[in-house]
Amino acid sequence: QYDLSIKLRDATTQVNQRLRTLDAVLEQLKQIERVVREHMADSANILIPAIESEIKSVEEMMARLATPPPSENLGYRGNAQIVEQLAMLFTSIQGVNAGPTQPQIESLNKLVPTATALSTQIGLELTERITKLNLLLSKFKAPTLVIRSVK
């Protein structure tokens, strides 16, 4: 029970750190968009579409890790994403005074590598996209994004 809980905790921590990074990038993008709109009207027609595209991309990355908000059309939440699946499995293992069941062990053995791979993939994708955007922003002397390295 302890060993499985530690594995789940580590995977959950990695995914949550990635979500915090994405959230910080999203805030920076919105701030840069405001600065460009208010103070850089001459280059806004080039930069704003690129920034808006990155905002959408970051929101999609966040949705791949965490459940997106309820749909405006139907009002239902989407399926549980990786962070919710990790939390549910952690609770089911820690919630009883017994060893984990075989299905829980099998679920963990599939879920943890999936979470790690997805988090790593999103990290690489984010770094690549932000690098390209920063090149464009710096060409127009606009503020650039700073992302904190997350394992």
Side-chain angles (χ1 to χ4, degrees):
Q1 186 176 12
Y2 176 77
D3 292 339
L4 296 181
S5 295
I6 294 298
K7 286 181 184 178
L8 279 169
R9 181 206 63 193
D10 292 345
T12 303
T13 298
Q14 181 181 16
V15 170
N16 283 330
Q17 286 176 332
R18 184 70 64 215
L19 284 167
R20 280 194 297 276
T21 299
L22 289 168
D23 192 46
V25 168
L26 188 61
E27 286 303 313
Q28 287 182 58
L29 284 167
K30 289 178 180 178
Q31 179 62 35
I32 291 170
E33 181 182 29
R34 278 190 293 274
V35 168
V36 169
R37 282 187 196 280
E38 293 172 8
H39 303 289
M40 302 179 72
D42 54 327
S43 55
N45 61 341
I46 296 170
L47 295 177
I48 295 298
I51 294 168
E52 288 174 345
S53 172
E54 291 308 314
I55 288 173
K56 184 178 179 189
S57 172
V58 169
E59 288 172 343
E60 288 170 359
M61 289 181 212
M62 292 174 83
R64 286 169 32 205
L65 291 173
T67 302
S71 165
E72 290 163 5
N73 295 335
L74 300 176
Y76 294 107
R77 289 176 54 97
N79 293 333
Q81 297 297 350
I82 201 79
V83 74
E84 288 87 6
Q85 292 173 22
L86 289 166
M88 288 185 290
L89 184 57
F90 184 82
T91 301
S92 71
I93 289 174
Q94 285 293 311
V96 295
N97 191 16
T101 63
Q102 190 60 36
Q104 288 172 328
I105 293 169
E106 290 169 6
S107 181
L108 177 127
N109 288 335
K110 285 194 296 192
L111 191 56
V112 169
T114 301
T116 302
L118 181 60
S119 180
T120 302
Q121 175 191 4
I122 286 175
L124 294 172
E125 185 180 329
L126 178 67
T127 301
E128 181 181 326
R129 294 184 70 90
I130 294 306
T131 301
K132 288 178 184 176
L133 180 63
N134 276 344
L135 288 173
L136 178 64
L137 292 169
S138 62
K139 186 190 316 187
F140 289 94
K141 298 188 179 13
T144 57
L145 289 125
V146 178
I147 58 172
R148 182 173 55 95
S149 176
V150 178
K151 297 178 185 174

